[in-house]
Amino acid sequence: MDMAVESPSSLANGDSSAVSTATTPAAAAAAASPPSSRMLQLAESLKLEHQFLRVPLEHFKKTIRAHHRCAEKEVSAVLSSVAEAADRSDAMSREAAVNHLSSLVSRLQGLKRKLEEGSRAENLQAQRCRARLDHLDSIDVENLTEWSNTRLKRILVDYMLRMSYYDAAKKLAETSNIQDLVDIEVFLEAKKVIDSLQNKEVGPGLAWCAENKSRLKKSKSKLEFQLRLQEFIELVRADNNLRAIQYARKYLAPWGATYMKELQRVMATLAFRSNTECPSYKVLFEPMQWDYLVEQFKQEFCRLFGMTLEPLLNIYLQAGLSALKTPFCFEEGCTKEDPLSQEGFRKLAAPLPFSKQHHSKLVCYITKELMDTENPPLVLPNGYVYSTKALEEMASKNDGRVTCPRTGETFNFSELVKAYIS
Amino acid sequence: MELSTIKDAFDRVAKKQKLSCSKTLEVIDLVGQEIEQAMAKMQSTDNGAGCFDQKSILLELKTKLNEMVPMNQLEGSQRELNVGLVKYAKILEKYFNPDISKAYRNIDFDIHIVNQIIASHFYRQGLFDLGDCFVREANEQDAATLKSPFLEMYGILEAMRSRNLEPALNWASKQSEMLRQNGSTLQLRLHQLQFVEILQKGSRNEALKYARTYLAPFASVHKVEIQKLMACLLWAGRLDRSPYAEFLSPSHWERLAEELTQQFCSLLGQSYESPLSVAIAAGIQGLPTLLKLATVMAAKQQEWQAMKQLPVPVDLGREFQFHSIFVCPVLREQGTDENPPMLMPCGHVLSKQSIVKLSKSSTRPFKCPYCPLEATVGQCRQLHF
């Protein structure tokens, strides 16, 4: 069991020891590390991109389904219309029969036009699915910086879409020319429902539920029931009790088998009315119920499209902050290059676990470079440790003397000793 | 990863989709043709034939259409496409990690903090319009604190790109003291570049005047550089053919722009790289390990949500190494103030506790666990990284 977890890290360890044999400075280190382990790391990071391929696929599937349903409906309507005309007991005049048939022909032509248009839309969506595969395939050690920048933009667009910052999301996608790599259209569909819920309307939400009925049923979604409950509550609020009862008979009763408790609770509001002070019913009339519905809808929506329920940004940020979090990040002298030197990041990281280290990793105070066998640590007589490179450079400029930047003491280069850190 | 396999699988799905589309249209056409034929038949029969004929034509049409079973045909092609789609979705699930939130700890990030981080990220990347749009839409007015300093920085860099050093020099002279404290020679190098520019235009007198005013103050500290620059005066207007042609290299501009960015960020109290980029990049490198760990720990969900430290190391590239971390090779624990690293005379480093343990708290010599040499506690000294 331990092995399974250790394997990726031991690979990465192999990486770092291999890196240490390279003499290039830290900036070039990424490129200098052996391509195989670097590629392995890239492959690992690509495996995280499921959502990137899944969302356009779900969108594609949805479009196909909708077109197919439309074709089925129309064709079967035409067929039954023919059958009906043929089976009619009273005879049709010739003119009427011809007219009837010609109306069916034009109906079929209309359907054909619609499907041809639909087919173009499907092709575009297929292209988008394909473009994303190509984009994943284009990652390489050479274009890594640019590719990672694009990835960060994708993550940011995802965050903004989920937070309903549509304008900023569109702007970022357009200015970076990554429209095919983000899911703006998909989210605009959600926007309609979210906007209506924020306006206290359930119509579009219910329509969305109907559209995705079978899939929502499969995932045992409660959303439709919750929307119905809210609509019922609104009728009670308006003191429209008779209609409320009718509504409950028609739309709530079918859910009785699954959600009896909630149904009973909501029905009791008929007795308590909207101005009740009874806390367990009062809450049902609160406006925040609508916010709750928005959240519920967002979750169902994400699930349906195969997205993570959390924004990608939060997931990556959490993992990154945890991996970066060491007790040293919170010390006074923390370097500004560490994100955790900033108040905001520190607050976000507060509830996250610290990272763990199995091996020493020493960073030279002067050059900020990693000290390893190529650039081993040297100990000054006062116990302070710096990299060989930094001290050699200092000595060559100062006739063989080095000054400890933290204590100000000076020593001869010959007084320094090597430290072996395993 | 076998991306080509996945691409092939998708291409097959796309092909099936096209097939299904044309099949559907074909079925519709066939139905339409039958109806049109029936219409033609009705119209061709002479007027006297009466209603009986129409009825029989309609009945015939009905049977013909029923024999065609268009609904089954529609469904058949669709079913095949569906099978392909399901198969492809399964392939994605197999090659990719279908749930990257498995290692997510259920805590809510403070939205305002995240938004502020994002707004700052946009401004520091020079995406000012986007930053403004974001701040407006997210309603985070106080998230724009970094806008004006970065506007200034990008203004300076923009001017440098069009070979105008004026704004950069102004800024550097204002920050002269701070730059010197940072150990940066940015100001001198900007003046040097300006000097070479003037010289390149051929005006020796002007260059000399410039050097007297702006370079002279640096002479005491940077004698060698200034001497070289003065020698350039001899080649005014034909510096490219001089031993000092190197001064003309456009790479000076690039390097200086980079140095300026670095110093500007540093004086602002900001990092050179966007902290958001760094944190996300670290997340992308670290997440695969965390996900594997979460799978192993799936049964201990509660432990996962509550642990104070990750149970295994998550190895990040050296670009994420910001702190010296000493792990005692004997105890396998991170060093602390109470348990600091100690250097033994042989050069090996252990934690204080290990050394106390090895020496059995006596002053007698003990053997280093990594080499044959012996040491006493008194010979070991504490290290500071």
Side-chain angles (χ1 to χ4, degrees):
Chain A
M1 173 172 123
D2 222 58
M3 278 304 292
V5 183
E6 286 282 352
S7 60
S9 56
S10 63
L11 281 168
N13 280 344
D15 184 3
S16 65
S17 63
V19 168
S20 60
T21 56
T23 48
T24 37
S33 68
S36 60
S37 67
R38 191 76 192 169
M39 288 314 283
L40 205 78
Q41 202 183 48
L42 290 188
E44 281 293 315
S45 71
L46 283 189
K47 283 191 186 159
L48 304 171
E49 299 282 3
H50 188 253
Q51 172 180 319
F52 182 60
L53 299 175
R54 175 83 190 273
V55 174
L57 177 68
E58 289 301 328
H59 202 192
F60 183 45
K61 268 158 83 174
K62 207 178 154 187
T63 317
I64 290 175
R65 262 200 308 271
H67 290 151
H68 176 68
R69 220 175 293 149
C70 172
E72 256 183 0
K73 212 176 106 196
E74 288 289 299
V75 172
S76 91
V78 167
L79 289 187
S80 55
S81 186
V82 168
E84 199 194 325
D87 296 339
R88 260 163 77 155
S89 50
D90 58 323
M92 265 173 135
S93 73
R94 191 174 75 165
E95 204 178 339
V98 170
N99 278 346
H100 183 67
L101 289 186
S102 93
S103 80
L104 292 182
V105 168
S106 54
R107 192 166 173 181
L108 285 176
Q109 276 162 349
L111 172 66
K112 209 176 148 189
R113 267 195 304 277
K114 200 169 161 191
L115 288 180
E116 275 162 352
E117 219 167 89
S119 153
R120 270 191 293 278
E122 282 173 24
N123 287 343
L124 277 178
Q125 289 188 332
Q127 270 169 30
R128 169 166 296 195
C129 290
R130 184 60 212 239
R132 295 204 179 182
L133 281 168
D134 290 338
H135 179 71
L136 287 189
D137 209 12
S138 74
I139 189 171
D140 204 339
V141 176
E142 274 91 57
N143 66 1
L144 197 56
T145 316
E146 197 196 328
W147 204 92
S148 308
N149 275 336
T150 308
R151 175 171 53 198
L152 178 60
K153 284 176 185 163
R154 286 197 275 123
I155 293 170
L156 283 168
V157 172
D158 172 81
Y159 174 83
M160 294 190 283
L161 288 173
R162 287 171 190 255
M163 301 298 288
S164 306
Y165 308 149
Y166 301 101
D167 291 343
K170 267 188 246 170
K171 200 172 183 117
L172 178 54
E174 274 161 27
T175 51
S176 322
N177 207 11
I178 53 168
Q179 288 100 321
D180 256 356
L181 308 182
V182 292
D183 300 302
I184 291 175
E185 279 167 46
V186 171
F187 275 94
L188 284 180
E189 186 186 311
K191 180 180 189 292
K192 276 182 238 154
V193 179
I194 292 169
D195 286 350
S196 69
L197 287 176
Q198 275 160 352
N199 287 330
K200 306 204 187 330
E201 291 165 32
V202 290
L206 286 171
W208 185 82
C209 285
E211 217 174 287
N212 301 289
K213 198 169 185 166
S214 62
R215 302 197 55 211
L216 289 174
K217 205 167 170 188
K218 217 185 274 169
S219 68
K220 300 207 169 63
S221 161
K222 210 173 159 184
L223 181 66
E224 186 185 343
F225 177 62
Q226 284 164 325
L227 291 170
R228 297 284 183 200
L229 287 189
Q230 192 62 40
E231 203 159 34
F232 176 81
I233 289 285
E234 293 308 315
L235 288 172
V236 176
R237 195 198 304 277
D239 231 356
N240 213 337
N241 290 339
L242 274 180
R243 270 198 60 205
I245 293 168
Q246 274 172 0
Y247 187 87
R249 279 191 188 141
K250 190 164 175 198
Y251 296 113
L252 297 186
W255 296 88
T258 18
Y259 304 115
M260 187 47 106
K261 264 228 168 77
E262 278 150 291
L263 204 156
Q264 285 170 342
R265 179 170 167 225
V266 138
M267 287 310 292
T269 56
L270 279 170
F272 283 88
R273 322 278 287 270
S274 59
N275 53 7
T276 177
E277 284 304 315
C278 180
S280 75
Y281 300 107
K282 193 181 174 190
V283 66
L284 292 173
F285 291 98
E286 302 277 0
M288 64 166 214
Q289 289 292 336
W290 288 98
D291 301 335
Y292 173 68
L293 282 177
V294 169
E295 280 316 303
Q296 285 294 307
F297 167 73
K298 279 187 183 171
Q299 286 209 356
E300 289 297 343
F301 181 82
C302 291
R303 207 169 283 142
L304 209 69
F305 275 98
M307 296 179 205
T308 54
L309 298 187
E310 301 293 330
L312 295 176
L313 182 91
N314 294 22
I315 292 170
Y316 287 121
L317 207 50
Q318 213 186 64
L321 290 177
S322 212
L324 289 171
K325 189 173 166 185
T326 70
F328 306 103
C329 303
F330 299 90
E331 284 177 5
E332 200 140 311
C334 178
T335 163
K336 299 211 178 72
E337 296 306 320
D338 185 346
L340 282 162
S341 67
Q342 290 200 9
E343 211 39 55
F345 286 93
R346 282 182 182 176
K347 275 190 195 145
L348 295 184
L352 298 175
F354 282 98
S355 66
K356 190 186 179 89
Q357 309 293 335
H358 276 175
H359 301 278
S360 296
K361 279 181 191 142
L362 304 178
V363 179
C364 174
Y365 179 87
I366 301 171
T367 62
K368 310 292 179 206
E369 281 176 38
L370 211 58
M371 297 190 266
D372 47 35
T373 47
E374 279 303 309
N375 185 20
L378 287 181
V379 184
L380 268 51
N382 63 3
Y384 283 79
V385 180
Y386 303 100
S387 69
T388 306
K389 234 195 242 174
L391 292 170
E392 270 175 356
E393 197 189 318
M394 207 191 289
S396 71
K397 276 190 185 163
N398 299 295
D399 306 320
R401 302 226 16 116
V402 292
T403 308
C404 174
R406 283 178 283 185
T407 67
E409 294 165 271
T410 61
F411 307 98
N412 263 329
F413 191 75
S414 55
E415 291 175 81
L416 315 185
V417 293
K418 236 185 192 180
Y420 298 94
I421 298 188
S422 39
Chain B
M1 189 175 357
E2 301 303 318
L3 267 173
S4 55
T5 323
I6 301 172
K7 277 189 194 175
D8 289 346
F10 183 74
D11 288 343
R12 279 197 295 277
V13 170
K15 216 164 144 191
K16 273 185 189 160
Q17 176 255 327
K18 288 210 174 76
L19 212 72
S20 163
C21 262
S22 53
K23 181 85 197 166
T24 306
L25 291 176
E26 200 183 295
V27 169
I28 293 170
D29 273 344
L30 280 176
V31 173
Q33 275 164 21
E34 285 299 337
I35 297 177
E36 271 167 0
Q37 271 172 23
M39 270 165 70
K41 230 186 248 171
M42 279 181 195
Q43 276 160 339
S44 68
T45 50
D46 57 282
N47 271 335
C51 307
F52 178 72
D53 267 351
Q54 273 124 43
K55 181 112 181 157
S56 68
I57 291 170
L58 278 174
L59 276 171
E60 193 189 343
L61 175 63
K62 182 187 158 192
T63 350
K64 262 195 185 154
L65 288 181
N66 278 344
E67 274 165 10
M68 249 167 65
V69 280
M71 297 313 286
N72 288 6
Q73 290 199 38
L74 282 182
E75 213 178 309
S77 68
Q78 185 71 11
R79 198 180 304 125
E80 210 168 307
L81 173 58
N82 269 336
V83 169
L85 283 166
V86 168
K87 230 194 235 165
Y88 177 66
K90 284 216 176 101
I91 290 179
L92 289 188
E93 219 154 282
K94 186 178 146 203
Y95 283 102
F96 293 86
N97 197 327
D99 182 14
I100 60 165
S101 60
K102 228 170 12 193
Y104 193 76
R105 192 175 269 207
N106 288 325
I107 46 153
D108 285 325
F109 277 158
D110 183 329
I111 292 170
H112 297 292
I113 296 179
V114 176
N115 283 347
Q116 260 164 16
I117 286 171
I118 293 174
S120 303
H121 172 79
F122 288 149
Y123 287 130
R124 62 169 304 137
Q125 304 294 107
L127 303 167
F128 296 103
D129 285 350
L130 180 62
D132 288 346
C133 178
F134 178 80
V135 164
R136 212 178 317 117
E137 218 173 357
N139 206 10
E140 302 275 1
Q141 267 69 26
D142 49 346
T145 42
L146 282 182
K147 185 184 174 184
S148 59
F150 277 108
L151 260 178
E152 185 188 352
M153 186 182 93
Y154 279 97
I156 294 172
L157 291 174
E158 188 59 36
M160 276 179 82
R161 257 195 296 278
S162 51
R163 298 280 152 130
N164 173 9
L165 278 171
E166 217 50 57
L169 283 164
N170 283 339
W171 177 80
S173 80
K174 254 186 277 167
Q175 305 289 342
S176 164
E177 187 51 30
M178 299 299 286
L179 286 173
R180 218 171 41 84
Q181 276 176 25
N182 267 1
S184 163
T185 56
L186 182 68
Q187 202 182 359
L188 168 68
R189 286 167 60 200
L190 285 169
H191 281 307
Q192 170 183 326
L193 210 55
Q194 183 76 321
F195 171 78
V196 173
E197 279 293 290
I198 295 171
L199 206 55
Q200 188 54 12
K201 282 179 195 137
S203 166
R204 191 175 309 178
N205 278 339
E206 233 175 274
L208 190 59
K209 220 168 88 192
Y210 190 86
R212 280 198 183 125
T213 328
Y214 296 109
L215 292 178
F218 293 95
S220 55
V221 196
H222 302 282
K223 208 165 81 189
V224 184
E225 285 93 332
I226 306 277
Q227 280 170 351
K228 271 195 211 160
L229 286 171
M230 290 307 104
C232 290
L233 281 171
L234 299 173
W235 274 276
R238 49 192 177 97
L239 208 54
D240 47 335
R241 279 161 287 158
S242 77
Y244 303 107
E246 189 269 334
F247 280 124
L248 290 172
S249 158
S251 68
H252 284 296
W253 289 87
E254 282 157 37
R255 252 179 299 168
L256 219 50
E258 199 175 303
E259 164 90 12
L260 187 128
T261 312
Q262 233 158 31
Q263 290 303 327
F264 201 103
C265 292
S266 157
L267 295 187
L268 262 183
Q270 295 292 320
S271 52
Y272 178 60
E273 297 279 351
S274 157
L276 182 66
S277 313
V278 174
I280 295 287
I284 283 158
Q285 269 192 28
L287 194 54
T289 313
L290 288 176
L291 287 171
K292 278 182 189 131
L293 180 62
T295 314
V296 175
M297 283 181 69
K300 303 177 197 163
Q301 188 56 31
Q302 241 161 355
E303 211 173 297
W304 176 264
Q305 296 290 339
M307 63 193 170
K308 293 253 181 293
Q309 188 181 30
L310 296 173
V312 296
V314 175
D315 274 286
L316 299 178
R318 56 165 65 196
E319 65 270 32
F320 301 106
Q321 218 63 61
F322 301 112
H323 306 280
S324 281
I325 290 167
F326 172 72
V327 178
C328 173
V330 175
L331 289 179
R332 295 262 159 221
E333 272 173 25
Q334 249 162 266
T336 60
D337 285 345
E338 290 73 44
N339 188 23
M342 305 284 280
L343 176 74
M344 297 197 286
C346 54
H348 287 107
V349 183
L350 302 181
S351 71
K352 193 173 182 178
Q353 274 176 19
S354 307
I355 286 181
V356 169
K357 230 186 231 168
L358 284 169
S359 69
K360 304 200 175 68
S361 307
S362 80
T363 49
R364 269 183 315 206
F366 61 93
K367 193 190 94 57
C368 168
Y370 293 96
C371 69
L373 292 179
E374 293 199 322
T376 62
V377 174
Q379 290 171 313
C380 301
R381 34 191 189 120
Q382 191 179 331
L383 293 184
H384 305 272
F385 292 111

